[in-house]
Amino acid sequence: MAAHSAFKGDRLRESLAVYVLTDRGLARGRAEQEVVRAAIDGGATAIQLRWKTGSLRDAVSVGRDLREMCRVADVMFVVNDRVDLALALDADAVHLGDEDLPIREARQIVGESIIIGYSPATLVDALQAPRLGADYLGVGPVYGTSTKSDAGEAVGVRRIEEVCAAISIPVVGIGGINADNAADVIRNGAAGVAVISSVVAADDVRAATMRLKHAVEAARKRPE
Amino acid sequence: MSTGSIPRLHLISDSRLCDLNRFVEIASQAVEAGVDAVHLREKALPAGELLHVAGTLREHLGDLAWIIINDRVDVAMIARVDGVELGETGLPVAEVRRLAGATLAIGRAVHDVGGAIAAVRDGADFVISGHVYDTASKPGQAPRGPEFIAEIVANCSLPVIAIGGITPERVPEVLQAGAHGVAVLSGILAADDPARAAREYAQALCGG
């Protein structure tokens, strides 16, 4: 196992700023590589491979390309749900949801070499996650979203504020976030915003990512 | 890992035939009757739940049988089961070997000679091959017959587990073709008396 991940500490907070998740169904026929290339060019700081359909063999092949693109650009590369795939691809992080492998158990096989992100289902889960070993949290859905059918009701930026006030690991907001509402998420304490449709489904993925990045950076400079 | 240590009578879960609670019950009886490997092949189950079921299964089976998990190598590593079964479109065998080292036996599903040769090259411990006879699990697909097992065995130095429509009566034929053992779903899961069915398979594997 490698030593501690290069993305821990302040580096992690920075890397969560503009966090783009792949979604084959929303990409309008474009390959993951094409979408991710454009998102990185537009300033994405983290890329998550989210693989809901198709064979794992294909995920390995696509994932190797994304892994390399992220490495070259110094962008954090995250794999959703599958810890084995994350290890096989030498990912920087794995992101676990409520029904996925428990954080503590996942940590047993990744050691300290891989960042563990976690999406808590409840506020109580969110508050316990750092103790269990999560390195960052994805909190949402902040706004209404149609992308994740299982995401539940919107929790609003109040939830971001509540969680950020109570824990010290970084939080990324997710769910219905775009360039127009991202600033509010950041001002309520999030280290960054995670997006799917507002980037992956955009006509111009690069331009959409740039707009989002500007919104995040502006909000960081002017907290109120 | 020696050929001799690979189990010969595999029971595989199938949520279309019975739910997981019932499967754990049947598996416990079947292991007492001679099944020596129990597979969790539950593709739709979230990883957290699969981990939980693997733990429950271990509590019921103790060390009397191997537990093998399909596809999810991460769950297999955490649950400390005995092996993984990888499909042709699953994680590559060589990657899994790199991740799990010698802690997990790796079984690879193969449907042609090319797959069998790749399984040997990439470091698998055994192959599961079929389907040999007509089976409700693979409707509309022509069975490959025991001669297919013979062809795989001729091209593969690993133990070959035959799968697909195998009844106790057909066990001698697949053994004749060179199979090391058999894998069963409905033959046990859908039997009126699963324990008795398992015993019949076990006896057939022991030569009668």
Side-chain angles (χ1 to χ4, degrees), chain A residues 11-32:
Chain A
R11 227 7 243 301
L12 176 58
R13 201 167 278 277
E14 286 309 309
S15 299
L16 294 171
V18 180
Y19 185 137
V20 176
L21 287 70
T22 66
D23 187 308
R24 180 164 283 191
L26 288 172
R28 298 158 61 180
R30 294 170 294 201
E32 279 82 3

Side-chain angles (χ1 to χ4, degrees), chain A residues 2-223:
Chain A
H4 285 248
S5 163
F7 285 90
K8 290 217 165 172
D10 288 345
R11 227 7 243 301
L12 176 58
R13 201 167 278 277
E14 286 309 309
S15 299
L16 294 171
V18 180
Y19 185 137
V20 176
L21 287 70
T22 66
D23 187 308
R24 180 164 283 191
L26 288 172
R28 298 158 61 180
R30 294 170 294 201
E32 279 82 3
Q33 289 92 330
E34 182 186 345
V35 170
V36 166
R37 173 82 271 150
I40 290 176
D41 287 347
T45 56
I47 298 293
Q48 183 186 120
L49 174 62
R50 198 161 142 271
W51 198 263
K52 295 292 180 188
T53 55
S55 80
L56 204 60
R57 193 59 63 106
D58 292 341
V60 170
S61 155
V62 169
R64 281 181 179 144
D65 289 345
L66 304 190
R67 160 73 284 179
E68 201 44 39
M69 288 158 80
C70 288
R71 199 192 305 278
V72 169
D74 209 16
V75 162
M76 185 164 85
F77 177 59
V78 188
V79 170
N80 183 53
D81 169 30
R82 301 269 321 214
V83 181
D84 45 8
L85 183 60
L87 287 168
L89 292 175
D90 192 23
D92 300 305
V94 63
H95 194 91
L96 303 173
D98 187 34
E99 296 194 313
D100 298 336
L101 284 169
I103 301 166
R104 244 201 275 239
E105 279 73 9
R107 182 65 79 194
Q108 288 171 14
I109 57 170
V110 303
E112 295 299 320
S113 67
I114 288 186
I115 302 260
I116 297 180
Y118 176 65
S119 293
T122 64
L123 183 57
V124 172
D125 284 350
L127 303 186
Q128 285 174 345
R131 222 175 20 249
L132 298 175
D135 294 301
Y136 76 89
L137 298 187
V139 173
V142 180
Y143 305 107
T145 171
S146 56
T147 309
K148 289 187 168 186
S149 52
D150 58 347
E153 268 182 57
V155 295
V157 290
R158 287 286 78 78
R159 175 61 62 81
I160 298 283
E161 189 187 23
E162 268 177 307
V163 174
C164 291
I167 64 172
S168 58
I169 62 173
V171 168
V172 57
I174 186 166
I177 298 174
N178 54 46
D180 297 326
N181 59 23
D184 212 19
V185 180
I186 300 299
R187 287 188 188 117
N188 279 283
V193 292
V195 295
I196 308 176
S197 59
S198 68
V199 162
V200 172
D203 284 333
D204 186 337
V205 169
R206 180 171 169 273
T209 312
M210 285 176 73
R211 279 197 299 278
L212 196 64
K213 182 156 194 160
H214 288 150
V216 169
E217 285 178 346
R220 281 182 164 186
K221 281 179 195 141
R222 289 189 306 106

Side-chain angles (χ1 to χ4, degrees), chain B residues 14-36:
Chain B
D14 185 340
S15 55
R16 291 167 301 186
L17 294 173
C18 69
D19 67 30
L20 275 167
N21 289 331
R22 176 75 183 131
F23 179 73
V24 170
E25 239 173 73
I26 292 177
S28 308
Q29 299 170 10
V31 164
E32 275 183 40
V35 162
D36 53 1

Side-chain angles (χ1 to χ4, degrees), chain B residues 10 15 18 59 64 70 77 110 121 125 134-135 153 162 167 174:
Chain B
H10 297 239
S15 55
C18 69
E59 281 171 23
L64 295 176
N70 183 269
M77 288 168 75
V110 305
R121 182 197 61 212
D125 296 299
D134 258 326
T135 163
V153 169
T167 59
V174 293

Side-chain angles (χ1 to χ4, degrees), chain B residues 25 32 39-41 69 84 86 98 105 137 143 149 152 154 157 162 178 190 203:
Chain B
E25 239 173 73
E32 275 183 40
H39 295 230
L40 287 172
R41 192 188 270 181
I69 289 180
V84 284
L86 305 171
R98 187 172 71 81
S137 306
I149 295 299
I152 296 295
S157 54
Q203 283 164 356

